[in-house]
């Protein structure tokens, strides 16, 4: 989201962790108009910049310019690196709360991993990357209030790792959102067995108990309203 030409040029010359001072003449900064009321017209400005981190998209861009056949011939190490970069982009947009873009990035990473492994070792590496993406997608769909999709990706994660507490937790959250209380209890109880002191899991179980109690009270009240007219006619 850089809008100053001088800053854009300067940042392209920097490396991760580097700090720098940039003196920008008006034509590289705010120009003849300035930026009222803070910056007058034709102002030379000083920026102190530190590059904390960045995601390099060059390899990803080059990868997606290849045909499917060319992509399939690349070494797995390179494919995994591109998928990891796409996941980093997804994480960036997730923390910016731009969940639809994050979802698309995670799915793009999954599409990269859709290739036939040449050995069990390669399959294991692919599955490790896929597992992270399934968990990310499950959480992202919860944020998008699409519990059915969140459950789907949580269950895909469990197919790879039946004892994954995070996947069980996500499935439990999704079922609770859909008011499938029995299924939610099953997933969350299994997660709690694996991580008995996990605060998030325990809090979700408390929430489930509260929601289920409210549900039963509402059902009881509805039944009473249905049968009250019968009693009134004796």
């Amino acid at each position: 989201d850089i809008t100053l030409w001088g800053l854009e040029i300067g940042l392209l010359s920097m490396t991760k962790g580097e700090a720098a001072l940039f003196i920008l003449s008006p034509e590289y900064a705010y120009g003849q108009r300035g930026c009222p009321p803070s910056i007058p017209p034709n102002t030379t400005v000083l920026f102190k910049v530190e590059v904390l981190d960045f995601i390099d998209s060059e390899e990803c861009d080059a990868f997606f310019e290849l045909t499917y056949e060319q992509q399939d011939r690349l070494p797995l190490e390179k494919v995994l690196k591109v998928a990891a970069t796409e996941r980093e982009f997804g994480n960036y947009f997730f923390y910016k709360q731009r969940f639809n873009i994050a979802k698309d990035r995670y799915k793009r990473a999954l599409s990269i991993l859709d290739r036939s492994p040449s050995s069990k070792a390669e399959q294991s590496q692919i599955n490790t990357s896929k597992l992270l993406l399934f968990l990310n997608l499950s959480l992202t769909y919860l944020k998008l209030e699409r519990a059915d999709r969140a459950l789907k990706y949580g269950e895909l994660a469990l197919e790879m790792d039946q004892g994954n507490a995070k996947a069980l937790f996500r499935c439990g959250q999704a079922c609770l959102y859909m008011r499938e209380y029995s299924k939610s209890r099953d997933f969350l109880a299994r997660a709690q067995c694996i991580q008995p002191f996990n605060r998030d899991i325990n809090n979700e179980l408390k929430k489930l108990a509260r929601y289920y109690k409210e549900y039963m009270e509402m059902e009881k009240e509805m039944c009473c309203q249905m049968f009250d007219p019968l009693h009134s006619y004796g």
Side-chain angles (χ1 to χ4, degrees):
D1 299 327
I2 298 166
T3 55
L4 295 184
W5 186 23
L7 265 186
E8 187 168 334
I9 294 170
L11 275 168
L12 289 173
S13 72
M14 297 179 70
T15 59
K16 190 180 295 186
E18 183 180 356
L21 294 174
F22 292 110
I23 299 172
L24 306 182
S25 57
E27 63 267 30
Y28 288 96
Y30 297 96
Q32 294 180 355
R33 300 181 65 179
C35 188
S38 303
I39 301 169
N42 295 311
T43 300
T44 297
V45 293
L46 170 67
F47 281 95
K48 181 179 181 181
V49 180
E50 183 178 0
V51 178
L52 300 176
D53 199 4
F54 63 86
I55 304 172
D56 188 351
S57 65
E58 185 177 0
E59 281 193 89
C60 289
D61 296 339
F63 179 87
F64 285 106
E65 288 176 1
L66 301 174
T67 65
Y68 181 79
E69 290 75 17
Q70 289 172 323
Q71 292 175 7
D72 203 45
R73 288 197 295 268
L74 289 174
L76 179 61
E77 182 181 355
K78 190 174 184 67
V79 173
L80 292 174
K81 186 177 179 181
V82 172
T85 301
E86 284 295 318
R87 186 167 65 84
E88 285 183 52
F89 274 115
N91 293 343
Y92 169 80
F93 287 113
F94 181 91
Y95 289 116
K96 290 285 186 181
Q97 297 189 12
R98 298 168 70 177
F99 301 120
N100 273 309
I101 300 176
K103 163 184 66 73
D104 292 340
R105 285 290 189 166
Y106 294 142
K107 286 188 173 183
R108 193 179 188 194
L110 270 179
S111 72
I112 295 168
L113 298 170
D114 187 21
R115 59 184 282 162
S116 301
S118 60
S119 65
K120 286 185 178 180
E122 280 200 359
Q123 184 65 68
S124 177
Q125 288 179 285
I126 291 171
N127 286 351
T128 298
S129 295
K130 280 186 173 182
L131 178 61
L132 293 172
L133 290 163
F134 289 151
L135 292 171
N136 287 353
L137 278 164
S138 183
L139 178 57
T140 304
Y141 273 114
L142 282 172
K143 294 292 185 181
L144 290 168
E145 299 183 352
R146 291 287 309 280
D148 56 329
R149 304 294 292 173
L151 178 60
K152 172 196 168 183
Y153 283 104
E155 289 177 331
L156 285 171
L158 287 174
E159 287 178 14
M160 293 186 169
D161 182 2
Q162 294 181 1
N164 190 290
K166 190 174 286 188
L168 290 165
F169 178 57
R170 297 283 176 250
C171 290
Q173 286 181 297
C175 289
L176 179 55
Y177 186 91
M178 293 187 289
R179 298 182 182 180
E180 295 183 9
Y181 298 121
S182 179
K183 287 179 67 176
S184 178
R185 186 186 301 110
D186 177 59
F187 283 122
L188 292 173
R190 286 162 62 192
Q192 189 185 50
C193 285
I194 298 165
Q195 295 185 2
F197 303 109
N198 186 297
R199 184 180 299 176
D200 292 333
I201 295 171
N202 291 330
N203 285 341
E204 201 72 10
L205 278 164
K206 290 176 184 176
K207 186 194 293 186
L208 169 63
R210 186 172 70 251
Y211 282 14
Y212 185 69
K213 181 182 178 182
E214 292 171 357
Y215 168 75
M216 292 304 294
E217 288 174 352
M218 186 175 67
E219 288 285 298
K220 183 179 178 181
E221 186 178 341
M222 288 178 63
C223 286
C224 289
Q225 290 175 356
M226 288 172 63
F227 287 107
D228 271 350
L230 298 176
H231 292 301
S232 64
Y233 286 106

Coordinates of all heavy atoms in Angstrom, one line a residue, residues 160-188:
M160 N -6.0 -37.0 7.9 CA -4.5 -37.1 7.8 C -3.9 -37.3 9.2 O -2.9 -37.9 9.4 CB -3.9 -35.8 7.2 CG -4.2 -35.6 5.8 SD -3.4 -34.2 5.1 CE -3.7 -34.5 3.4
D161 N -4.6 -36.8 10.2 CA -4.1 -36.9 11.6 C -5.3 -37.0 12.6 O -5.8 -36.0 13.0 CB -3.2 -35.7 11.9 CG -2.6 -35.8 13.3 OD1 -2.8 -36.8 14.0 OD2 -1.9 -34.8 13.7
Q162 N -5.7 -38.2 12.9 CA -6.9 -38.4 13.7 C -6.7 -37.8 15.1 O -7.7 -37.5 15.8 CB -7.2 -39.9 13.8 CG -7.6 -40.6 12.5 CD -7.9 -42.0 12.7 OE1 -7.8 -42.6 13.8 NE2 -8.2 -42.7 11.6
G163 N -5.5 -37.7 15.6 CA -5.3 -37.2 16.9 C -4.9 -35.7 17.0 O -4.3 -35.2 18.0
N164 N -5.2 -35.0 15.9 CA -4.9 -33.6 15.9 C -5.9 -32.8 16.7 O -7.1 -32.6 16.3 CB -4.9 -33.1 14.4 CG -4.3 -31.7 14.3 OD1 -4.9 -30.7 14.7 ND2 -3.1 -31.6 13.7
A165 N -5.5 -32.2 17.8 CA -6.4 -31.5 18.7 C -7.0 -30.3 18.1 O -8.2 -30.0 18.3 CB -5.6 -31.2 20.0
K166 N -6.2 -29.6 17.3 CA -6.7 -28.4 16.7 C -7.8 -28.7 15.7 O -8.8 -28.0 15.6 CB -5.5 -27.6 16.0 CG -5.9 -26.2 15.5 CD -4.7 -25.5 15.0 CE -3.8 -25.0 16.1 NZ -2.7 -24.2 15.6
A167 N -7.6 -29.8 14.9 CA -8.7 -30.2 13.9 C -9.9 -30.6 14.7 O -11.0 -30.2 14.3 CB -8.1 -31.3 13.1
L168 N -9.8 -31.3 15.8 CA -11.0 -31.7 16.6 C -11.7 -30.5 17.1 O -12.9 -30.4 17.1 CB -10.5 -32.7 17.7 CG -10.1 -34.1 17.3 CD1 -9.3 -34.7 18.4 CD2 -11.3 -34.9 16.8
F169 N -10.9 -29.5 17.6 CA -11.4 -28.3 18.1 C -12.2 -27.5 17.1 O -13.3 -27.1 17.3 CB -10.3 -27.5 18.7 CG -10.7 -26.1 19.2 CD1 -11.7 -26.0 20.3 CD2 -10.2 -25.0 18.8 CE1 -12.0 -24.8 20.8 CE2 -10.5 -23.7 19.3 CZ -11.5 -23.7 20.3
R170 N -11.6 -27.4 15.9 CA -12.3 -26.7 14.8 C -13.6 -27.4 14.4 O -14.7 -26.7 14.2 CB -11.4 -26.6 13.6 CG -10.1 -25.8 13.8 CD -10.3 -24.3 13.7 NE -9.1 -23.7 14.0 CZ -8.8 -23.0 15.1 NH1 -9.7 -22.9 16.1 NH2 -7.6 -22.4 15.3
C171 N -13.6 -28.7 14.3 CA -14.8 -29.4 14.0 C -15.9 -29.2 15.1 O -17.1 -29.1 14.8 CB -14.5 -30.9 13.9 SG -13.6 -31.3 12.4
G172 N -15.4 -29.2 16.4 CA -16.3 -29.0 17.5 C -17.0 -27.6 17.4 O -18.2 -27.4 17.6
Q173 N -16.1 -26.6 17.1 CA -16.7 -25.2 16.9 C -17.7 -25.2 15.8 O -18.7 -24.5 15.9 CB -15.5 -24.3 16.6 CG -14.6 -23.9 17.8 CD -13.5 -23.0 17.4 OE1 -12.7 -23.3 16.5 NE2 -13.5 -21.8 17.9
A174 N -17.4 -25.8 14.7 CA -18.3 -25.8 13.5 C -19.6 -26.4 13.9 O -20.7 -25.9 13.5 CB -17.6 -26.5 12.3
C175 N -19.6 -27.6 14.5 CA -20.8 -28.3 14.9 C -21.6 -27.4 15.9 O -22.9 -27.4 15.8 CB -20.5 -29.6 15.5 SG -19.9 -30.8 14.2
L176 N -21.0 -26.8 16.8 CA -21.7 -25.9 17.8 C -22.4 -24.8 17.1 O -23.5 -24.5 17.4 CB -20.7 -25.4 18.8 CG -21.2 -24.4 19.9 CD1 -22.4 -25.1 20.6 CD2 -20.1 -24.0 20.9
Y177 N -21.7 -24.2 16.1 CA -22.3 -23.1 15.3 C -23.6 -23.6 14.6 O -24.5 -22.9 14.5 CB -21.3 -22.6 14.3 CG -21.7 -21.4 13.6 CD1 -21.5 -20.1 14.0 CD2 -22.5 -21.5 12.4 CE1 -21.9 -18.9 13.3 CE2 -22.9 -20.4 11.7 CZ -22.6 -19.1 12.2 OH -23.1 -18.0 11.5
M178 N -23.5 -24.9 14.1 CA -24.7 -25.4 13.4 C -25.7 -26.0 14.4 O -26.6 -26.7 13.9 CB -24.2 -26.4 12.4 CG -23.4 -25.9 11.3 SD -22.9 -27.1 10.0 CE -21.7 -28.1 10.8
R179 N -25.5 -25.9 15.7 CA -26.4 -26.4 16.7 C -26.4 -28.0 16.7 O -27.5 -28.5 17.1 CB -27.7 -25.8 16.6 CG -27.7 -24.3 16.8 CD -29.1 -23.7 16.7 NE -29.1 -22.3 16.9 CZ -30.2 -21.5 16.9 NH1 -31.4 -22.0 16.7 NH2 -30.1 -20.2 17.0
E180 N -25.4 -28.6 16.2 CA -25.3 -30.1 16.3 C -24.5 -30.4 17.6 O -23.4 -30.7 17.6 CB -24.6 -30.6 15.0 CG -25.4 -30.3 13.7 CD -24.7 -30.9 12.5 OE1 -23.7 -31.7 12.7 OE2 -25.2 -30.6 11.4
Y181 N -25.3 -30.3 18.7 CA -24.7 -30.3 20.0 C -24.0 -31.7 20.3 O -22.9 -31.7 20.9 CB -25.7 -30.0 21.0 CG -26.3 -28.6 20.9 CD1 -27.6 -28.4 20.7 CD2 -25.5 -27.5 20.9 CE1 -28.2 -27.1 20.5 CE2 -26.0 -26.2 20.7 CZ -27.3 -26.0 20.5 OH -27.9 -24.8 20.3
S182 N -24.6 -32.8 19.9 CA -24.0 -34.1 20.2 C -22.7 -34.3 19.5 O -21.7 -34.7 20.1 CB -25.0 -35.2 19.8 OG -24.4 -36.4 20.1
K183 N -22.6 -33.9 18.2 CA -21.4 -34.0 17.4 C -20.3 -33.1 18.0 O -19.2 -33.4 18.1 CB -21.7 -33.7 15.9 CG -22.4 -34.8 15.2 CD -22.6 -34.5 13.7 CE -21.3 -34.4 13.0 NZ -21.6 -34.1 11.5
S184 N -20.8 -31.9 18.3 CA -19.8 -30.9 18.9 C -19.2 -31.4 20.2 O -18.0 -31.3 20.4 CB -20.5 -29.6 19.2 OG -19.7 -28.6 19.8
R185 N -20.0 -32.0 21.1 CA -19.5 -32.6 22.3 C -18.5 -33.7 22.0 O -17.5 -33.8 22.7 CB -20.7 -33.1 23.2 CG -20.2 -33.6 24.6 CD -21.3 -34.2 25.3 NE -22.5 -33.3 25.5 CZ -23.6 -33.4 24.9 NH1 -23.8 -34.5 24.1 NH2 -24.6 -32.6 25.1
D186 N -18.8 -34.5 21.0 CA -17.9 -35.6 20.7 C -16.5 -35.1 20.3 O -15.5 -35.5 20.8 CB -18.5 -36.5 19.6 CG -17.6 -37.6 19.2 OD1 -17.2 -38.4 20.1 OD2 -17.2 -37.7 18.0
F187 N -16.5 -34.1 19.3 CA -15.2 -33.6 18.9 C -14.5 -32.9 20.0 O -13.3 -33.1 20.1 CB -15.5 -32.6 17.7 CG -15.8 -33.2 16.4 CD1 -17.0 -32.9 15.7 CD2 -14.9 -34.1 15.8 CE1 -17.3 -33.5 14.5 CE2 -15.2 -34.6 14.5 CZ -16.4 -34.3 13.9
L188 N -15.2 -32.1 20.8 CA -14.5 -31.3 21.8 C -14.0 -32.2 22.9 O -12.9 -31.9 23.5 CB -15.4 -30.2 22.4 CG -15.8 -29.1 21.4 CD1 -16.9 -28.2 22.0 CD2 -14.6 -28.3 21.0

